[in-house]
Amino acid sequence: MLELINILWSFIGAVIAMVILGLIAGFSPTLYATQVGLAAATKRSQPLMISLMIGVLIGIILLSIFFQFFQVETLRLIIDSTLKALYVSVVFNTILGTSFILGGFWYIHKKPNRITKDAKVNAKSGYWALISLGFFRTFVSISGATATFLASNLISESKEDIIERLVLTAIFLAAVIAPFALILIVMNRHPERMQDVLAWSKTQLKKINYKLIIGVTAILVGSSIIMFNVLKAITF
């Protein structure tokens, strides 16, 4: 009974982690504003907004596949040597950790996004242009990559239970797209409220230095990845 309770609590904790990481992975004030701008600028807003969401999902899914590929368990299916698979994984993760550190410093010091301008420009775009926008802004996002890497590692720890992995993956992807789906629903039913929410969100983002938070998190995660993988290589 106690073991069942521990498993349940562990699963609940994993679900909460997936939701938080999913929200972080899909976080993009520019894309949120673009969705609102689409609804305000064109009559065919719903399919365009869905196209943007598809691009975001494709970006996250490809990042997940990329990170899962360099897990030791996956590499062992390709490389017929546990030692070689470990070293390939360590080298990749060390490079990745370094990228997170550099990306974190860049993100902290980069100029603020011109949200209003981006939203107006992309409101005139076609379906493929918006899919590309959602994909590239997600795939190269430091917050998206960091959160997806952490989520991929948490999911890989459930490798003995394929159902649990699928459930956690579905929850993660649902959390990624949830804010976009919420904007879509609100803009269809109460568009006047969404403008107020967008104005409020811009005010809050100015109060909270989210770039600093995301940048520092990426630096800490990158440093942890490097230290962990160096120790793993030494102690193997």
Side-chain angles (χ1 to χ4, degrees):
M1 184 64 179
L2 183 60
E3 182 179 356
L4 180 61
I5 293 175
N6 289 334
I7 293 174
L8 181 60
W9 276 112
S10 177
F11 179 73
I12 292 174
V15 169
I16 294 173
M18 288 299 105
V19 172
I20 294 173
L21 290 172
L23 291 173
I24 295 173
F27 177 75
S28 175
T30 300
L31 292 182
Y32 297 155
T34 299
Q35 272 205 305
V36 177
L38 288 169
T42 177
K43 295 180 180 179
R44 58 191 181 104
S45 61
Q46 186 166 335
L48 289 174
M49 293 166 79
I50 292 175
S51 297
L52 188 69
M53 294 162 63
I54 291 173
V56 172
L57 278 178
I58 292 174
I60 292 296
I61 290 172
L62 289 182
L63 276 174
S64 299
I65 294 173
F66 182 65
F67 292 140
Q68 287 290 344
F69 178 80
F70 284 96
Q71 294 287 335
V72 176
E73 292 77 12
T74 306
L75 289 171
R76 282 171 58 187
L77 300 175
I78 304 172
I79 303 174
D80 191 22
S81 170
T82 301
L83 183 60
K84 290 182 180 178
L86 173 67
Y87 282 138
V88 170
S89 179
V90 167
V91 169
F92 168 76
N93 285 319
T94 301
I95 295 173
L96 183 66
T98 303
S99 300
F100 281 167
I101 293 173
L102 296 175
F105 280 112
W106 169 81
Y107 197 77
I108 291 172
H109 295 97
K110 78 166 187 171
K111 295 180 179 180
N113 291 329
R114 301 179 67 178
I115 294 177
T116 304
K117 181 178 179 180
D118 284 351
K120 289 181 179 179
V121 170
N122 290 298
K124 300 177 182 178
S125 301
Y127 301 119
W128 286 109
L130 286 164
I131 290 175
S132 299
L133 174 68
F135 168 75
F136 284 112
R137 278 201 170 271
T138 303
F139 193 79
V140 301
S141 166
I142 186 65
S143 58
T146 304
T148 304
F149 175 82
L150 294 174
S152 297
N153 278 270
L154 285 175
I155 292 172
S156 67
E157 291 180 2
S158 306
K159 56 183 177 295
E160 296 180 359
D161 191 337
I162 186 64
I163 296 178
E164 183 178 349
R165 292 186 69 178
L166 290 174
V167 170
L168 292 177
T169 300
I171 292 172
F172 175 67
L173 293 177
V176 168
I177 213 67
F180 296 95
L182 181 61
I183 292 173
L184 175 63
I185 293 171
V186 174
M187 287 303 297
N188 283 334
R189 297 182 179 180
H190 308 285
E192 71 286 348
R193 294 185 183 179
M194 198 64 237
Q195 296 296 340
D196 294 335
V197 172
L198 181 61
W200 177 82
S201 299
K202 289 181 179 179
T203 302
Q204 297 304 311
L205 288 174
K206 290 179 180 178
K207 294 180 181 179
I208 302 173
N209 194 343
Y210 72 91
K211 292 202 305 176
L212 178 62
I213 296 173
I214 293 175
V216 170
T217 301
I219 292 170
L220 292 175
V221 170
S223 301
S224 300
I225 292 171
I226 293 174
M227 289 188 290
F228 174 78
N229 280 274
V230 169
L231 288 174
K232 184 165 65 173
I234 293 174
T235 58
F236 181 76

